[in-house]
Amino acid sequence: MRPTLSRTAIVLFFIACFILLYNPAWAGYSAQDDYYLWLEYDIKNGPPDSPFFKLLYIYYGKRPGDKNNLQLLNKVEAFYTFGAKDASGRDIYYKQNIIKLGDRYAVKVQSSERRWCQVVVKAARSADNGRIYDYTAKTSFFILGHLEQAYLDKLQYGKEVHPLPIWMTMPLKVTLSDAKKRILTSWRSIWRKGDLYAIKDKELGPAASLDTKLDIALDRERLDEPDNLDHLIYFSPLRFMVSFNGKPLGLRNVRVVSEEGIEKQITTDRSGECVYIAGKQKINRDFQELFLIEDISGARVYRNVYTVPFKDYDLFYDEYAQFPLFELRGGFGIFLAAFILAVLASLYLRGRFRA
Amino acid sequence: MKIFRLRYILQIVSFVVLLWGGYFGLRFANFLPNWTCPLTVYEKEAGCYLMPLQRLQYGVRRDPQEELAGVFCFRDYSVIWKPWKTYLTFFGAIFLFVLLSNKSWCGWLCPFGTLQDGISGVRKRLKIRETVFSEGTKKQIKVVRNIFFAMFIVPVLVLLFSEVFMLPNQKLVQYARFPHARPFYCNLVCPAKTIMRPIEANIARPERYSNNMHRFFMYKFSAFISGIVLVGIFFRRRFFCYFCPILALLNLFHRASFLRLKKKQSSCTRCGNCWRACPMDIKDIYENKKDEDIERGDCVFCLKCVENCPENNTLSVKFFKWKLFVSARKYFFNLKSRIK
C-alpha cells in the first residue's frame, strides 16, 4: 500500500471512530439527554404579573431561546398550589390543564384575590440507554399585583374578565367584614362610576399528591427585609434550599441560566443552602433567570428547574444607595449650578438685599 | 374665626393629608380619581404635584401588609377606569371644582403653594426684601406659562383622541404603559415633582428616605428648573404660581364659577392695600375703576385682598348672590398680621 493511501485510511478510520463515538444512537444516549423542562414568564409582552391571571409557558430544551420540544414528551402534568397545607403539613396541589397557544404550551393560573402561588410541571422520559429522566419545572409568584391593571387584563384576556354586579361576587352568608365590604364597595362604585371587574375563583381542580424527590425551594422572604417574591429586585439576595428526599444536598452546583443563555454557577453550602444576587440588567426592567439542578440516583436522573422572575420597582430599589448623599453626580450638579446661578442673577438684578 | 387662620389650617391639613395621607390609608387616588393626573393610571412611581401622595398610593399598596391597612382598598375587587373616562372625570371634576370654589385650590389647598408660602414666611422673618416683577416681565411670564400649559395639555388630548378614534387597543395599551406617556411638562419641567419628593419622606419605611432624596435629582432638566424655582420662591411670594399650568387650566373655567370676587367701586379709596397684600401682585385690583367683578387670571383666590381692605363692604366674596366674606374696617384693624 502506498504511504499516502495508508495515511488517508488511518485518518478516515479515526474520523469514522470519532463520528461513531459521538453519534448519540451509537453512544447510547439521545440529544434529549441534555434537555431540561422549565417554565417561562411572558415578559416580552408585558410585565410578569397581572391582577388575576398568570400565564406560564412550558419549555423543553437545552437552554432558553432553543426550539420548544415539549411535544417530544408523552406525559406532562401541571400542578399549582396557593400554599394551603393538609393535616400532615404538606402543600395541597391541584391539577391544572396545559393549554396550547400557537406552537407553545402554557399553564394559566387565576385567582380573584391576592395570593401567593406556586406552579409545578412534571414530566418523565425513558431513554434508550435505560435511564429514566425525571423533569420538574417550578416557579412561584403573586397573583393580583396591580389592581390598576385590570383594564389591561380585560383587553388581553377579553371575555374572561367580566364586569360583574357586586352582589354576584358576594357570598350568600353575610359576615361583618362582608357587610362592611359591601357598603364600602357600593359607596366607592357610586363615587367612581367605573367598571367593576371581578372574577370568581376558578374551580379548584382535583387535589393531587406531588412527589418531588429532588427539590429546589426559594425562601419566600428576602434576606435583608421582610418582603416577598412580589418585590424581587436586582441586587436583592435570594436564598435557595436544595434537597433530595427531604435531606439537604450540600456542596452541589446550581447552574443559573439567563434568558440570553448566559450561564453562571453557584454552590450550595453544607446545609444545602445558597444565596444568589442577580446582576443589574441595563436594558430590561423585568427579566427571569433559571436555576438548574441535577441529581442521579441509580438509573434515574432528576432534573429540576426553578424560574425566578426579577422586577425592578423604582420605589423599592435604591439605585444610589452605594453613594453618599452629596456625592451624587449629574442631577445634583445641575441643581446646584442652577441654584447658584439663580441666586447670583437675583442678587445682581435686585440691586439691594435687605428691605 | 379669622380667614387667614382658616386658610392656614386648611393649607396645613391639605399638605399633611395629600403628602402623607397614604401612610394612614387615606389614598385618594384609589377613591377619588378627580385630582389625579389622567396619565398616571398605569404608572406606579409617578407623583403629580397636585397630589404628590399619588406616588405613594400606587407604591405602598404593593406591599401586602400595607395594602391591608388601607381604608378604601379592597382585596377582592378592582375598579378601573377606561382612559377616556379618566380624562372626562379629570376635566369634569376640575370644572365642577372651579364652578363651586373658583381657584381656591391654589390659595387654600395646593401643597406646593403651601410650601411656597412657608418659604416666603422664612424670607419675611429674615427681613429680606421681596423681588418685584414689572408688568412687562409678568406679561413675558404669561407666555412661558402658556407654553408650559401646552406641554401639559397636548399629550393628554393626543391620548384622549387616540382612544376616541379607536386606535388599536394594544397600541394604546403599550403607549399607556410607556413611561414617557406622561405630559412633557411633567417629565421635563415640573419642579414640584422633584422638590416635593424629599418632603414625602416615607414614614413607614425610613430606610427608603435616601431613595426619595436621590429621586430629587433624577430628572436632570427638572433639577435645573427646581434650582431656579427654589431661589425664585425665596425672593418672590408664590413665584411658581406665575408659571403654573394648573392655574392656566383652572383659568379655562373660572369665568363660569359661582364664587366671585367683587369690588364696590364707590367705596374704594384706592389705598392700594389689596394690591400690596396680593401674593400674585395683581395691580388691577386697585387700579380698576370700572368693573365690579375684579377677579383676574393670575388670582389664586387666597382672599388676602379682602382681609386687608380697610373699607366696609368694598371687597367681597360672593357665592351666587350670597356674600360669604366682606371687607370690614373692624376686621382690618384687628388683623394681627398686616400687609407683608
Side-chain angles (χ1 to χ4, degrees):
Chain A
M1 198 181 277
R2 281 161 50 189
T4 20
L5 206 62
S6 64
R7 273 180 216 150
T8 314
I10 290 165
V11 169
L12 283 173
F13 174 74
F14 277 109
I15 289 172
C17 288
F18 185 82
I19 291 168
L20 284 173
L21 196 66
Y22 285 91
N23 185 327
W26 192 84
Y29 71 87
S30 73
Q32 287 185 55
D33 291 356
D34 292 338
Y35 282 13
Y36 281 82
L37 183 78
W38 72 90
L39 287 161
E40 260 189 36
Y41 294 85
D42 192 12
I43 284 175
K44 279 175 192 167
N45 294 326
D49 44 8
S50 99
F52 305 120
F53 301 97
K54 189 76 74 177
L55 202 62
L56 295 155
Y57 291 98
I58 311 167
Y59 284 90
Y60 178 59
K62 263 189 183 178
R63 57 168 56 85
D66 282 359
K67 192 187 160 197
N68 188 10
N69 299 296
L70 196 70
Q71 67 281 1
L72 297 175
L73 292 170
N74 289 328
K75 195 183 176 191
V76 186
E77 284 180 308
F79 306 87
Y80 69 99
T81 178
F82 288 130
K85 293 188 186 300
D86 61 12
S88 59
R90 291 179 64 183
D91 282 328
I92 303 170
Y93 283 89
Y94 299 96
K95 272 197 174 181
Q96 180 65 299
N97 293 333
I98 293 171
I99 49 176
K100 195 175 182 194
L101 296 167
D103 57 344
R104 294 194 289 181
Y105 295 86
V107 185
K108 193 168 74 178
V109 186
Q110 70 186 63
S111 167
S112 67
E113 62 181 85
R114 188 186 181 95
R115 291 202 232 216
W116 174 84
C117 180
Q118 187 174 71
V119 172
V120 182
V121 177
K122 284 189 74 69
R125 181 180 69 85
S126 300
D128 296 339
N129 57 9
R131 281 185 165 179
I132 297 168
Y133 288 84
D134 196 282
Y135 301 104
T136 309
K138 202 172 173 186
T139 190
S140 51
F141 48 84
F142 269 91
I143 286 187
L144 208 70
H146 311 280
L147 289 174
E148 65 271 23
Q149 278 195 359
Y151 175 65
L152 301 182
D153 254 21
K154 171 105 173 83
L155 296 179
Q156 198 173 342
Y157 293 101
K159 289 177 183 172
E160 291 189 58
V161 182
H162 296 286
L164 285 182
I166 300 160
W167 59 266
M168 274 184 72
T169 61
M170 295 288 177
L172 286 173
K173 190 182 165 191
V174 180
T175 62
L176 189 65
S177 65
D178 286 333
K180 184 184 159 198
K181 200 187 291 174
R182 199 174 289 192
I183 291 162
L184 288 177
T185 310
S186 325
W187 184 37
R188 193 172 76 148
S189 59
I190 289 165
W191 266 103
R192 299 195 54 157
K193 297 231 182 289
D195 288 336
L196 185 78
Y197 293 122
I199 60 161
K200 282 191 168 182
D201 264 347
K202 193 176 174 65
E203 294 291 322
L204 293 174
S209 62
L210 193 65
D211 187 26
T212 312
K213 289 217 165 177
L214 177 67
D215 196 24
I216 177 164
L218 173 62
D219 241 12
R220 278 172 65 178
E221 289 191 353
R222 282 161 52 204
L223 298 182
D224 58 346
E225 57 187 274
D227 222 324
N228 53 49
L229 261 182
D230 202 26
H231 298 151
L232 288 179
I233 316 165
Y234 312 145
F235 305 129
S236 171
L238 303 173
R239 182 162 53 201
F240 286 93
M241 175 85 181
V242 181
S243 61
F244 190 81
N245 263 345
K247 289 178 185 169
L249 277 182
L251 307 175
R252 191 61 62 103
N253 284 337
V254 179
R255 288 163 60 201
V256 186
V257 184
S258 71
E259 281 172 287
E260 293 80 27
I262 301 162
E263 201 170 312
K264 284 175 271 183
Q265 263 195 3
I266 48 176
T267 312
T268 59
D269 61 12
R270 289 190 187 279
S271 57
E273 284 183 5
C274 56
V275 173
Y276 176 74
I277 302 170
K280 167 125 181 93
Q281 304 284 305
K282 285 186 178 171
I283 301 164
N284 300 327
R285 285 170 62 87
D286 297 329
F287 64 101
Q288 54 196 320
E289 287 189 344
L290 309 180
F291 292 77
L292 282 61
I293 183 134
E294 186 184 53
D295 195 76
I296 300 167
S297 171
R300 280 191 100 91
V301 181
Y302 296 96
R303 281 183 181 167
N304 204 322
V305 179
Y306 202 110
T307 309
V308 181
F310 288 92
K311 293 179 233 175
D312 179 17
Y313 291 146
D314 288 348
L315 263 181
F316 295 97
Y317 171 51
D318 196 346
E319 189 182 353
Y320 301 98
Q322 50 190 313
F323 300 115
L325 189 63
F326 291 105
E327 275 186 27
L328 293 165
R329 296 158 296 183
F332 183 70
I334 290 168
F335 168 77
L336 209 61
F339 188 85
I340 291 166
L341 273 176
V343 168
L344 292 175
S346 336
L347 291 180
Y348 176 74
L349 292 171
R350 283 160 57 90
R352 63 194 168 86
F353 195 64
R354 294 280 176 181
Chain B
M1 185 186 256
K2 296 271 186 285
I3 285 289
F4 74 91
R5 277 203 193 115
L6 182 67
R7 186 176 54 241
Y8 288 159
I9 290 169
L10 273 178
Q11 278 187 306
I12 289 165
V13 168
S14 156
F15 192 87
V16 170
V17 168
L18 296 183
L19 254 73
W20 301 304
Y23 300 118
F24 317 113
L26 293 169
R27 294 165 196 164
F28 289 93
N30 280 347
F31 179 58
L32 288 171
N34 309 356
W35 288 100
T36 59
C37 173
L39 293 179
T40 53
V41 175
Y42 308 107
E43 283 288 316
K44 314 301 169 300
E45 76 275 17
C48 176
Y49 95 112
L50 278 176
M51 282 191 72
L53 169 70
Q54 194 182 51
R55 188 187 66 80
L56 293 171
Q57 288 166 338
Y58 288 121
V60 293
R61 207 176 58 177
R62 303 179 69 83
D63 193 318
Q65 285 172 354
E66 284 174 86
E67 181 182 358
L68 292 175
V71 177
F72 301 114
C73 199
F74 299 97
R75 297 177 69 217
D76 301 1
Y77 309 107
S78 149
V79 182
I80 302 298
W81 287 80
K82 287 174 183 171
W84 68 266
K85 254 188 194 177
T86 314
Y87 300 134
L88 203 67
T89 319
F90 179 72
F91 289 112
I94 284 172
F95 177 70
L96 200 69
F97 188 89
V98 176
L99 205 66
L100 295 176
S101 61
N102 211 320
K103 288 177 278 178
S104 52
W105 166 266
C106 306
W108 293 63
L109 296 171
C110 175
F112 198 53
T114 308
L115 183 79
Q116 292 184 72
D117 286 347
I119 293 174
S120 296
V122 173
R123 178 187 52 76
K124 262 201 270 184
R125 286 281 166 100
L126 295 172
K127 292 182 180 168
I128 293 170
R129 187 174 62 86
E130 186 180 20
T131 298
V132 181
F133 290 150
S134 68
E135 291 302 310
T137 311
K138 277 192 235 170
K139 274 182 189 166
Q140 287 166 354
I141 288 174
K142 262 185 193 171
V143 176
V144 178
R145 183 167 75 195
N146 289 337
I147 293 169
F148 285 170
F149 181 57
M151 288 168 80
F152 174 78
I153 207 75
V154 169
V156 176
L157 295 177
V158 167
L159 268 183
L160 177 61
F161 287 118
S162 69
E163 205 205 359
V164 170
F165 293 113
M166 301 295 282
L167 280 182
N169 274 341
Q170 204 55 40
K171 271 191 179 176
L172 182 73
V173 169
Q174 279 171 4
Y175 186 65
R177 277 180 174 178
F178 192 61
H180 298 100
R182 268 176 284 169
F184 302 124
Y185 166 80
C186 305
N187 264 0
L188 286 173
V189 181
C190 184
K193 176 188 67 203
T194 47
I195 291 172
M196 283 305 202
R197 277 183 200 262
I199 302 168
E200 288 171 32
N202 197 330
I203 300 163
R205 289 166 170 258
E207 75 277 10
R208 302 285 183 203
Y209 185 71
S210 67
N211 198 8
N212 250 0
M213 283 301 287
H214 289 99
R215 293 203 153 273
F216 181 83
F217 309 110
M218 219 182 93
Y219 302 90
K220 302 284 189 292
F221 196 72
S222 276
F224 176 77
I225 299 275
S226 304
I228 296 168
V229 168
L230 263 183
V231 177
I233 290 170
F234 186 75
F235 287 119
R236 169 77 230 166
R237 277 180 295 170
R238 293 280 181 154
F239 172 78
F240 187 69
C241 294
Y242 286 103
F243 299 90
C244 181
I246 299 301
L247 187 62
L249 182 69
L250 299 183
N251 272 340
L252 289 181
F253 311 115
H254 84 113
R255 291 209 182 278
S257 178
F258 300 139
L259 196 71
R260 312 297 311 172
L261 184 64
K262 301 280 184 185
K263 179 181 172 184
K264 195 176 167 187
Q265 294 288 358
S266 58
S267 58
C268 176
T269 58
R270 318 274 181 256
C271 66
N273 268 0
C274 49
W275 166 49
R276 283 188 288 275
C278 178
M280 298 300 287
D281 200 23
I282 302 170
K283 210 173 185 178
D284 205 35
I285 195 166
Y286 100 97
E287 276 187 344
N288 192 301
K289 293 173 184 173
K290 287 184 288 181
D291 302 333
E292 192 197 354
D293 197 326
I294 206 70
E295 191 220 326
R296 293 293 174 262
D298 279 345
C299 178
V300 291
F301 229 80
C302 61
L303 308 188
K304 282 182 183 169
C305 50
V306 189
E307 279 185 293
N308 284 280
C309 177
E311 302 301 330
N312 282 333
N313 206 12
T314 302
L315 283 173
S316 59
V317 185
K318 272 187 177 176
F319 187 77
F320 280 118
K321 56 181 178 179
W322 300 292
K323 284 183 179 175
L324 297 183
F325 180 50
V326 186
S327 65
R329 186 175 288 269
K330 198 179 168 189
Y331 182 96
F332 173 76
F333 284 109
N334 282 338
L335 203 64
K336 281 183 186 173
S337 69
R338 290 286 170 77
I339 304 152
K340 293 185 181 178

